[in-house]
Amino acid sequence: MPAEAVELADQYREAVKGRFTQAVLVKVSVRNQKGKAVLDFKGVPVEQVSQLGEVLTGKLPLVRRVE
């Protein structure tokens, strides 16, 4: 995986981690799928899926686009 993709995944992981309380154990992992970084989300309560969506679609100042 390109280093830039791993860095971007880490930034998303931190953004998701900051959105949920410590009582909610949301896990974000990155894996290699045919040379591309793929994010997996685990442990998101159904009632809080919209919060995950907000994190992923909102402004994340540290995140830069990776092609």
Side-chain angles (χ1 to χ4, degrees):
M1 285 185 291
E4 298 85 14
V6 174
E7 180 183 334
L8 181 61
D10 287 340
Q11 292 172 358
Y12 276 114
R13 181 184 297 125
E14 288 302 312
V16 170
K17 181 177 157 186
R19 184 70 164 108
F20 293 90
T21 65
Q22 290 182 346
V24 178
L25 299 175
V26 174
K27 295 186 186 205
V28 181
S29 59
V30 62
R31 61 184 168 86
N32 186 337
Q33 184 173 337
K34 298 181 181 177
K36 294 217 178 231
V38 176
L39 288 174
D40 292 320
F41 301 93
K42 215 171 185 183
V44 180
V46 171
E47 307 81 32
Q48 294 178 315
V49 170
S50 62
Q51 289 179 333
L52 177 62
E54 289 171 7
V55 169
L56 298 177
T57 59
K59 286 188 177 186
L60 299 172
L62 296 177
V63 175
R64 63 176 190 236
R65 188 174 178 175
V66 174
E67 297 295 325

